[in-house]
Amino acid sequence: MKFTFVCQEDNKIFESDRFRIIDDRGVLIDGSGNKTWDAKVELLSPCPFCGKKHIFDVNELVCPFI
């Protein structure tokens, strides 16, 4: 599965299947019943634009269905 990312340096969009989920604290539910996944996604290969290995909060990921 590929996720869509935005380079944190160049603000350019790319896809990668070279990642892993880290700091997974599961799904949190707020007082209104809204659910959010509390985890991070770490790239396992360098960003194709800046060459860095980024770490993203899952809420920073771009939805590929928009």
Side-chain angles (χ1 to χ4, degrees):
M1 173 189 333
K2 289 186 178 183
F3 278 8
T4 303
F5 300 95
V6 178
C7 173
Q8 296 167 334
E9 298 290 321
D10 295 334
N11 213 30
K12 295 179 182 177
I13 296 173
F14 65 98
E15 291 184 337
S16 178
D17 60 358
R18 301 272 307 135
F19 63 86
R20 69 179 176 156
I21 307 300
I22 60 172
D23 298 335
D24 187 355
R25 295 183 183 94
V27 175
L28 303 178
I29 303 173
D30 68 15
S32 299
N34 298 310
K35 297 177 182 179
T36 56
W37 184 20
D38 187 8
K40 294 183 181 182
V41 178
E42 176 183 30
L43 290 179
L44 298 176
S45 57
C47 170
F49 298 110
C50 72
K52 295 181 179 178
K53 289 188 179 177
H54 300 299
I55 296 176
F56 299 88
D57 285 326
V58 291
N59 63 3
E60 296 175 320
L61 300 181
V62 177
C63 177
F65 303 108
I66 294 178

